Amino acid sequence: METILSRENMMAVLRRVVANKGAPGIDKMSVEQSKPYLLEHWPRIREELLADRYRPAPVRGVEIPKTGGEGMRQLGIPTALDRLIQQAMHQVLMPIFDPDFSASSYGFRPGRSAHDAVLAARSHATDGRRFVVDLDLEKFFDRVNHDVLMARVARKVTDKRVLRLIRRYLQAGLMTGGIATARSEGTPQGGPLSPLLSNILLDDLDKELERRGHAFCRYADDCNVYVRSQRAGERVMASLTRFLAERLKLAVNGAKSAVDRPWRRNFLGYTMTANERPRLQIAVSSVKRFMGKLKPVLRAGRGRTLAATVKDLTPILRGWIAYFRLSEAERVARDLDGWLRRKLRCILWRQWKRPAARFMRMMQHGLTEQHARDATGNGCGPWWNSGERHMNYAIRRAFFDQLGLISLQRELRGLNHAA
C-alpha cells in the first residue's frame, strides 16, 4: 500500500487519469473539477487507505449496446477519486502479474494489441489447425466469483490492506436510478482495475491450455483454441466447459460458442479466408456495426453543411480503417465508399428541397437544361435520386475529395502496399 500511495506513483497516476478524462461518477465530479478537492482532502484519504479504513463510493451504472448488437452491457463508472486510487493500484500490480501471464493472452496488456491476437489466430490456421473452438463466456464480467478471484490475487499480493481494498471495489454498490445495489459477484466494467483482474482470473484458463499443449489466442474474455479436427474440437469444448465451471465458476454460453471452421467465425471483428494461407477479412457483422455507427452522424448532417458532416465523419473513418488495416478487403471498402457517398448525396438532395432549387443545382454542377429538368421532375424520393446517374454525374468523387472525405478503399490499399 505504501508503494501504491508513494508520491512518484500518485503523480504519474494523476497525469494519466487527467489525460484519459472519463465520465463522472455518482458525485458528478469530473477529474478536472476534483483537483481542488484532492488538494484539500488527500492527506486524510491517504491516511484512511494506509489505516485500512477507506470505503469506495458506489459506481454509477450505465448501459451501452454490446458490440455484437445483442442486448446491453452494464458499465460501472467510478468517481474521479476512486478512478485515481484504482489506477494507482493498477500501476503497481500490473508489473507484478503481467510477466507471468501467457504469451497467448493479448488483451489489456502493455505492448500487446488486438492486432497481435488476430495475426496469431491466422498463424495457427496457416499451420494446419483448420478448426476453432470459439469460447464465449456467459456474462463474464457480471459472473466473476469474488472468492475465486481474490484467491488468485492473493497468490502474489500479501498486503492485507490491498486485498481488502480490492474486495471492497468488487463489492461497491451499483447506483442506478438513485438506488445503490450491493454486488455479490462480478467485476464492474468501467474502472481501471477491472481489466487486470479479468486477466488474473483467466490466467488459470491460459495455463491449463498451455499445459495441454493447445494453440490458442485470448483477448479478455474472447478465447479461440485452434485444433486439427472437428472431433478434437468437440472434446476440447466439453473439457474446457467443465474446467471453467469447476475451477473458475464460469459458464460457457452454448448458444454463442461453437466448434467450426475459422472462416465461419469472427474473432475481434475479423474473419479469414479458407485458403491454405488464409487472408484476413472484415467480418460482415463488423461492416454492419460500422454503418450503424455512421448513421447518427449522417442524420445530423441534414441541417448542416456537407463540409461539417465530413469533418465529423473523418475521425470515425480513420479509426475504423486503422483497426482493420490488417485485412485484405478492398472490395468491402469500395462498397462502403459508394454507400457513404450515396448517403451524402441524399443529404444534398434533401437540403435542396424544392424542384426549382434542385434544377439550379443540377445546372451549376454541369447537367444540361433538359437533363436537369428530367432529374428534378421524376417524382422519386431522395434515396432513389441519390443513387441515380444525374446525382452521380453532378456530385462526383472529386467533389467529395475536395471536401476531404476519406476513401476507405484508397486508405486500405495504401496500407496493404506499405505492408
Side-chain angles (χ1 to χ4, degrees):
M1 185 63 81
E2 283 77 9
T3 306
I4 289 168
L5 299 177
S6 67
R7 179 176 175 80
E8 182 183 5
N9 188 51
M10 293 308 302
M11 292 303 294
V13 165
L14 187 59
R15 287 193 296 270
R16 180 160 186 169
V17 170
V18 169
N20 290 344
K21 296 182 179 178
I26 61 168
D27 58 1
K28 300 181 180 180
M29 191 184 297
S30 69
V31 175
E32 291 80 6
Q33 292 169 335
S34 69
K35 282 183 182 179
Y37 176 85
L38 286 170
L39 285 172
E40 182 180 352
H41 295 281
W42 179 247
R44 173 184 58 80
I45 295 166
R46 185 176 187 278
E47 179 56 35
E48 287 180 1
L49 287 162
L50 288 170
D52 200 15
R53 295 196 308 268
Y54 181 80
R55 296 294 184 271
V59 295
R60 180 168 65 90
V62 177
E63 287 192 336
I64 62 168
K66 290 185 178 179
T67 53
E70 300 175 0
M72 305 295 285
R73 186 184 302 281
Q74 180 75 61
L75 296 185
I77 310 300
T79 62
L81 173 59
D82 283 323
R83 189 179 298 128
L84 190 82
I85 296 168
Q86 284 195 39
Q87 184 62 41
M89 297 171 74
H90 181 277
Q91 290 186 180
V92 172
L93 296 176
M94 175 64 88
I96 294 172
F97 285 94
D98 189 76
D100 292 329
F101 284 157
S102 168
S104 297
S105 167
Y106 297 92
F108 311 123
R109 297 184 61 192
R112 288 169 167 262
S113 69
H115 285 166
D116 297 323
V118 169
L119 290 172
R122 183 181 66 177
S123 176
H124 294 323
T126 303
D127 289 343
R129 295 175 176 87
R130 311 290 277 179
F131 289 85
V132 62
V133 181
D134 186 352
L135 283 172
D136 183 280
L137 299 179
E138 189 169 7
K139 296 183 178 179
F140 169 71
F141 286 95
D142 296 331
R143 298 281 176 85
V144 168
N145 183 287
H146 292 173
D147 291 335
V148 173
L149 171 57
M150 291 309 302
R152 277 136 189 86
V153 176
R155 289 171 181 172
K156 294 191 176 185
V157 176
T158 57
D159 190 329
K160 301 296 184 184
R161 296 167 299 177
V162 176
L163 293 173
R164 280 192 284 266
L165 183 58
I166 293 173
R167 187 177 280 274
R168 286 173 194 148
Y169 274 117
L170 292 172
Q171 295 176 337
L174 182 71
M175 183 77 78
T176 51
I179 300 172
T181 307
R183 298 177 67 95
S184 59
E185 62 178 4
T187 169
Q189 291 176 270
L193 205 52
S194 183
L196 174 60
L197 295 177
S198 69
N199 272 336
I200 292 171
L201 180 64
L202 291 175
D203 188 55
D204 272 27
L205 171 63
D206 298 340
K207 294 298 190 289
E208 179 66 14
L209 289 168
E210 288 178 342
R211 188 185 67 78
R212 299 182 187 185
H214 286 308
F216 70 99
C217 304
R218 185 177 66 78
Y219 191 95
D221 57 332
D222 287 328
C223 185
N224 280 3
V225 185
Y226 294 85
V227 295
R228 298 184 185 276
S229 71
Q230 178 82 23
R231 198 171 188 179
E234 289 169 357
R235 284 198 304 269
V236 169
M237 176 69 81
S239 63
L240 289 180
T241 300
R242 287 194 302 272
F243 173 85
L244 287 163
E246 294 170 5
R247 185 76 66 85
L248 301 180
K249 310 299 182 188
L250 296 171
V252 171
N253 186 329
K256 295 182 180 179
S257 302
V259 179
D260 207 340
R261 299 289 195 175
W263 46 91
R264 294 181 190 148
R265 305 295 292 182
N266 303 338
F267 183 51
L268 301 178
Y270 280 83
T271 187
M272 61 181 79
T273 62
N275 306 46
E276 187 176 343
R277 297 187 63 81
R279 298 191 306 275
L280 293 173
Q281 300 284 293
I282 304 171
V284 173
S285 58
S286 298
V287 175
K288 290 180 179 177
R289 193 158 55 245
F290 176 58
M291 293 169 73
K293 189 174 183 178
L294 294 177
K295 283 179 181 177
V297 181
L298 294 167
R299 278 196 295 270
R302 295 177 186 177
R304 312 167 62 204
T305 65
L306 212 61
T309 300
V310 168
K311 184 178 179 181
D312 286 347
L313 289 170
T314 297
I316 303 173
L317 298 176
R318 287 201 184 281
W320 192 81
I321 206 65
Y323 182 76
F324 286 106
R325 67 179 184 269
L326 301 179
S327 68
E328 298 178 43
E330 276 196 46
R331 185 174 178 179
V332 172
R334 181 198 66 199
D335 290 347
L336 281 170
D337 279 342
W339 173 82
L340 184 55
R341 287 193 297 268
R342 184 173 179 181
K343 294 292 277 188
L344 293 171
R345 290 186 183 108
C346 186
I347 290 173
L348 285 177
W349 189 265
R350 288 178 184 276
Q351 288 179 344
W352 294 341
K353 294 183 179 178
R354 296 174 182 171
R358 290 169 180 166
F359 174 78
M360 291 301 298
R361 294 288 187 177
M362 293 284 103
M363 294 281 288
Q364 289 171 4
H365 284 282
L367 270 68
T368 64
E369 183 176 349
Q370 187 58 49
H371 194 182
R373 289 191 188 283
D374 292 341
T376 54
N378 58 55
C380 296
W383 182 245
W384 184 89
N385 277 284
S386 65
E388 289 303 298
R389 288 177 57 192
H390 52 270
M391 278 298 280
N392 279 272
Y393 181 86
I395 311 298
R396 304 188 185 193
R397 291 186 188 184
F399 173 84
F400 294 112
D401 290 341
Q402 289 175 352
L403 284 178
L405 180 67
I406 293 169
S407 166
L408 297 172
Q409 183 182 16
R410 280 201 299 264
E411 291 286 320
L412 188 58
R413 183 185 298 152
L415 291 167
N416 288 161
H417 288 168

